[in-house]
Amino acid sequence: MFVVHISAECYPAAKVGGLADVVGSLPGYQQKDGMEAIVLIPKYGMPWIKEQEWKTVFEAEVVQNGEWKHFSIEQVADGILDFPLLAVNMPEYFDRPGVYAHPPGHYFRDETARYFAFQQAALIWLQNMDKVPDIVHCHDHHTGLIPFFMKHGVDYDRLREVPTVYTIHNGNYQGMHSWKDVVLLPRFHRNDAGLLDWGDVINAMASAIRNSWAVTTVSSSYLEELMHLPNLGSLMQSESGKSHGILNGIDYEIWNPKKDKYVEHKLKRSLSTFKRKNKSELADKFNLDPLAPLFVFIGRFAREKGAFILPDVIGSFLSANNPASFIILGSGDEGLSSRFHHLARYFPDNVAYNQGYNEPLAHMLYAGGDFLIMPSLVEPCGLNQMYSMHYGTIPIVRAVGGLNDTVVDIEQEGGGFRFGNLELHEITATLYRAMKLYGNEEEFEKIRKRIVKYDFSWERSSDRYKELYNSLIK
Ligand code: ADP
């Protein structure tokens, strides 16, 4: 089976969040399973991409508003990744140091033109491939118009019968574009325009939900939640017959405490030694008490991640003289960032704030933390809680989306703490539960040993995608 994944992110080439982790690992597992799975992304001007050798495999032009723009499809040298990675090279759109924004967080303003060009280039390449794919698998809104054009575009007749799968990793970003930008799209018959429209704009995600052969979301709970989303809920309900919740897995090659290249003390025989030594590294690095329970947060400062509640939670918890340490790793909203800076200055012995995106530090925090806090408002799947459990760090989560599906409360013989509402008192009460567990060494060790055994492997999820692909192929 020949599967082409199309995405805006793919680890290790270009990562902003979980989308990259998924697109960077699922195809490798599919290859191991005997499929031919390849990935196409834009060729950004980011470090990993710049360091690779690329060879051109295809060249053509996209047309936008009557202008012809050259692009090439390039492939990274064999043997670097466990699947073939290809990229659309269009320097005017993609040779920039970030995926969606300049590194300090200023979004690119030509998002519409960029993603329309990326999708058109992908379609032209697919149409001209020696071998038509068995499945085209599109991810998130940046690729959401492809299923429509494969069915209804004037120029892609070879793709009409190719099944498309569309995965929603994050329904908050839908790719809404004004109809005045229709001139930037490839040709289609005007009476099909309704299949691009949702709420009087071109809505890439809505169009994908309607036009793809199957829709998946990254957890079952999130699929339920999408059915109640204000602007997409009714559409998700009417397309529920072709929709499936398939939980992400984690890549055990990269996220492996026994050989993680970013973790100073690898896991050998004793889990508690692994935790103690790595925690002590963090305590040294950030000047924190190595004996106090260590709570960590890793994530984007987007509203959906709920980090905005943490300064108040941490401030009040520490003001009550609780002997605890907190390390925050994240970036985004500048107002929130300055609140964390302030908090770290006010409680220098208890709080460390590391601003920015830092892959090595994220791994160290999963390894050395005692508890990971995820107060998400929305969490389609969430990978952090799975990484953290795999590294023996107990998650404290709001029971929503994928967190609801992966974290069972310790009271129900599970491996984490759950709370229901993003309220100061609920989170604080949960922190007290965590402190109590920390104080009971035997019980604490028992839970740690339990969570590292959980199975979050990709094989299970990869089998579900395979079943779905097979059901679509005639
Ligand atoms: P999302 O894709 O919504 O951001 P996920 O939980 O699916 O959330 O994936 C988050 C991924 O991004 C994880 O691999 C996490 O470790 C990583 N991550 C998030 N923020 C940072 C950061 N500031 N530094 C390093 N890694 C980060």
Side-chain angles (χ1 to χ4, degrees), residues 131-427:
K131 174 171 74 173
V132 175
D134 295 308
I135 296 281
V136 171
H137 191 151
C138 299
H139 298 266
D140 267 351
H141 79 81
H142 326 95
T143 63
L145 299 172
I146 291 174
F148 168 83
F149 281 99
M150 285 175 61
K151 266 192 191 161
H152 303 286
V154 173
D155 302 309
Y156 314 114
D157 55 324
R158 278 182 87 210
L159 307 176
R160 297 264 183 273
E161 299 301 319
V162 178
T164 46
V165 173
Y166 180 67
T167 298
I168 302 175
H169 298 258
N170 192 334
N172 273 7
Y173 305 96
Q174 297 173 10
M176 297 189 206
H177 309 279
S178 155
W179 271 105
K180 75 176 168 31
D181 291 320
V182 71
V183 290
L184 301 174
L185 284 174
R187 297 188 298 163
F188 61 93
H189 296 297
R190 291 299 131 162
N191 36 4
D192 291 327
L195 291 167
L196 287 172
D197 186 89
W198 191 253
D200 294 331
V201 293
I202 299 170
N203 181 317
M205 185 163 282
S207 166
I209 294 167
R210 286 164 137 183
N211 294 293
S212 60
W213 294 36
V215 174
T216 72
T217 67
V218 288
S219 68
S220 303
S221 288
Y222 190 55
L223 180 58
E224 276 300 308
E225 289 164 21
L226 283 176
M227 308 245 182
H228 301 101
L229 208 66
N231 72 333
L232 281 186
S234 60
L235 180 59
M236 284 302 292
Q237 279 169 28
S238 65
E239 300 290 352
S240 62
K242 67 175 189 194
S243 303
H244 311 263
I246 304 180
L247 200 66
N248 292 329
I250 63 176
D251 192 333
Y252 284 154
E253 288 299 310
I254 295 164
W255 297 93
N256 181 346
K258 291 187 177 144
K259 53 181 195 193
D260 189 319
K261 65 177 176 190
Y262 297 123
V263 170
E264 175 82 26
H265 305 281
K266 319 274 185 245
L267 175 61
K268 293 194 177 111
R269 267 186 309 276
S270 157
L271 178 64
S272 62
T273 308
F274 165 77
K275 297 298 293 180
R276 183 172 36 79
K277 287 191 171 169
N278 286 304
K279 179 173 173 184
S280 158
E281 288 288 327
L282 289 170
D284 274 359
K285 185 174 164 71
F286 293 105
N287 230 351
L288 301 167
D289 176 0
L291 298 178
L294 175 58
F295 296 84
V296 302
F297 171 89
I298 302 165
R300 297 179 292 117
F301 293 161
R303 194 171 159 71
E304 63 200 73
K305 294 288 173 193
F308 60 85
I309 199 157
L310 291 180
D312 287 349
V313 169
I314 297 171
S316 74
F317 198 67
L318 292 177
S319 298
N321 283 326
N322 285 298
S325 305
F326 294 84
I327 302 179
I328 310 294
L329 167 62
S331 62
D333 186 280
E334 282 171 25
L336 183 54
S337 191
S338 78
R339 288 179 69 201
F340 280 124
H341 274 303
H342 187 73
L343 196 70
R345 274 196 298 270
Y346 195 77
F347 296 105
D349 299 331
N350 305 80
V351 180
Y353 170 46
N354 197 286
Q355 183 180 11
Y357 187 88
N358 188 329
E359 188 79 27
L361 180 57
H363 287 243
M364 286 160 64
L365 293 176
Y366 293 122
D370 293 311
F371 301 98
L372 172 98
I373 311 180
M374 291 184 79
S376 306
L377 274 174
V378 181
E379 195 61 81
C381 174
L383 293 168
N384 300 20
Q385 81 281 11
M386 297 197 248
Y387 298 145
S388 96
M389 287 191 267
H390 194 52
Y391 282 64
T393 299
I394 297 169
I396 299 175
V397 306
R398 178 163 173 258
V400 64
L403 299 175
N404 191 43
D405 295 358
T406 51
V407 180
V408 174
D409 197 279
I410 283 165
E411 265 181 18
Q412 277 82 47
E413 295 290 302
F417 294 101
R418 291 159 59 111
F419 57 90
N421 298 299
L422 209 61
E423 303 280 351
L424 191 65
H425 67 275
E426 277 198 39
I427 306 182

